[in-house]
């Protein structure tokens, strides 16, 4: 089966194809578009880690396509009784789902499950590894606002080290020809980020100079094993996005955040709520469209529909 486990390795045309498909579902004025494409198919959402946006939008996306959508409540599941990840995967597989959406706190866990089941698997975030549908919805939002991805200067700022959102975005934006910067304290900058074609900056003002898009990230304390825990006040002082800091960016800079936001830590409330510049709610809206596209495209083989190329034979 073809899975969507990450952005790494996807070709520009494959990314463009998925964005075009998502655009169909996000048609303005038609944003609640429905289809019976997945009627009769069963979609299981198995989220082993907390989520608001991703889980709800995958549920809505599946339902708008007519699928029977089941979301497993991990807190109430037998995972809590000691069942292993693989046994859980085999149990879900035995119910013959047509597509499984998984979020897990361990990098690689989604790929492991994908290798054991008989249907397409979509990665809804695995540890600090990848969050491919987030990068696609970010790209769709940027493309709609700016008309393109190639040639844009885009800064991804904050806790880059622990961020699967940053990682998927680095792969996507570099593949699509954007000029990508990582802006982070030295302790939260991944070693070798240049190998992904990304320019590292430890100074916020330098990193934001002339950028077209600023993407802020949450401090992911749940992934910091006590290594570097700045006080929130100290962090905001040096790396928080304020009106003043934004003044060095392009006049029409777009402000983004994947959510959940910590106001007053990585982003000032005035910036987050700036109706002109903030695209944060549009990102959430595009999430439904992108997930509809991914579910529809990945279930095409099971529905007997051919499509050009098999992008996800990973
Ligand atoms: N952006 C994102 O993945 O949010 P959730 O954790 O709420 O799904």
């Amino acid at each position: 089966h073809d899975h969507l486990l990450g952005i790494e390795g996807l070709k520009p045309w494959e990314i463009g194809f998925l964005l075009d498909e998502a655009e169909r579902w996000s048609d303005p004025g038609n944003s609640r578009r429905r289809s019976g494409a997945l009627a009769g198919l069963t979609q299981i959402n198995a989220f082993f880690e907390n989520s608001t946006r991703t889980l709800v939008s995958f549920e809505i996306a599946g339902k708008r396509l007519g699928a029977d959508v089941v979301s497993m409540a991990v807190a109430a599941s037998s995972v809590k009784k000691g069942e292993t990840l693989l046994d859980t995967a085999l149990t879900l597989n035995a119910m013959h789902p047509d597509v499984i959406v998984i979020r897990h706190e361990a990098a690689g866990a989604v790929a492991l499950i994908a290798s054991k089941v008989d249907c397409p698997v979509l990665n809804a975030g695995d540890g600090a590894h990848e969050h491919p549908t987030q990068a696609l919805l970010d790209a769709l939002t940027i493309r709609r606002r700016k008309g393109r991805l190639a040639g844009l200067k885009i800064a991804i700022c904050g806790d880059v080290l622990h961020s699967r959102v940053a990682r998927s975005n680095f792969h996507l934006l570099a593949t699509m020809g954007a000029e990508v910067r990582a802006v982070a304290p030295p302790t939260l900058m991944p070693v070798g980020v240049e190998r992904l074609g990304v320019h590292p900056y430890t100074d916020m003002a330098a990193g934001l100079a002339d950028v077209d898009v600023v993407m802020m990230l949450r401090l992911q304390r749940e992934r910091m094993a006590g290594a570097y825990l700045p006080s929130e006040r100290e962090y905001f002082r040096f790396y928080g996005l304020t009106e003043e800091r934004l003044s060095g960016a392009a006049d029409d800079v777009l402000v983004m955040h994947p959510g959940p936001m910590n106001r007053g830590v990585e982003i000032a409330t005035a910036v987050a709520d700036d109706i002109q510049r903030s695209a944060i709610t549009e990102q959430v809206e595009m999430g439904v469209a992108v997930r509809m596209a991914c579910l529809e495209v990945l279930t095409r083989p099971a529905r007997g529909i051919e499509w050009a190329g098999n992008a996800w034979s990973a």
Side-chain angles (χ1 to χ4, degrees), residues 50-55 103 124 131 134 164-165 258-260 291:
N50 292 345
S51 172
T52 298
R53 281 147 284 269
T54 312
L55 176 58
R103 167 171 289 191
H131 191 352
Q134 178 71 45
R164 58 195 176 207
V165 174
R291 284 157 187 143

Side-chain angles (χ1 to χ4, degrees), residues 138-190:
D138 291 336
L140 184 61
T141 305
I142 296 169
R143 209 177 71 166
R144 284 165 63 97
R145 287 281 195 114
K146 300 286 181 193
R148 66 196 163 104
L149 295 168
L152 292 178
K153 292 189 180 72
I154 302 178
I156 302 182
C157 310
D159 184 1
V160 177
L161 182 65
H162 300 103
S163 178
R164 58 195 176 207
V165 174
R167 206 176 165 76
S168 290
N169 264 297
F170 290 155
H171 287 301
L172 189 150
L173 295 169
T175 301
M176 300 309 272
E179 183 191 316
V180 191
R181 304 175 182 182
V183 186
T187 46
L188 296 176
M189 181 74 78

Side-chain angles (χ1 to χ4, degrees), residues 165-293:
V165 174
R167 206 176 165 76
S168 290
N169 264 297
F170 290 155
H171 287 301
L172 189 150
L173 295 169
T175 301
M176 300 309 272
E179 183 191 316
V180 191
R181 304 175 182 182
V183 186
T187 46
L188 296 176
M189 181 74 78
V191 173
V193 76
E194 300 90 336
R195 286 200 296 272
L196 302 177
V198 174
H199 307 282
Y201 291 79
T202 53
D203 180 71
M204 192 77 167
L208 294 189
D210 301 322
V211 294
D212 301 295
V213 179
V214 184
M215 210 179 276
M216 298 307 299
L217 303 170
R218 180 175 63 89
L219 271 183
Q220 292 159 98
R221 294 176 182 278
E222 72 275 21
R223 298 203 187 107
M224 295 180 195
Y228 173 70
L229 286 167
S231 77
E232 294 187 349
R233 202 172 354 152
E234 178 194 21
Y235 184 81
F236 185 71
R237 187 162 157 232
F238 291 101
Y239 291 98
L241 188 66
T242 59
E243 297 271 8
E244 191 185 1
R245 286 231 161 86
L246 261 186
S247 62
D251 290 341
D252 59 348
V253 65
L254 195 63
V255 175
M256 302 176 72
H257 194 306
M261 271 191 286
N262 288 151
R263 292 169 182 263
V265 182
E266 72 270 7
I267 188 165
T269 279
V271 177
D273 297 339
D274 181 330
I275 293 171
Q276 298 296 325
R277 293 186 290 195
S278 169
I280 296 170
T281 52
E282 191 172 334
Q283 288 173 268
V284 177
E285 189 188 337
M286 291 307 115
V288 176
V290 157
R291 284 157 187 143
M292 287 177 82

Side-chain angles (χ1 to χ4, degrees), residues 6 18 35 62 69 83 120 133 164 167 176 237 279 299 307:
L18 279 177
S35 151
V69 183
E83 187 165 54
T133 57
R164 58 195 176 207
R167 206 176 165 76
M176 300 309 272
R237 187 162 157 232
T299 56
W307 63 289

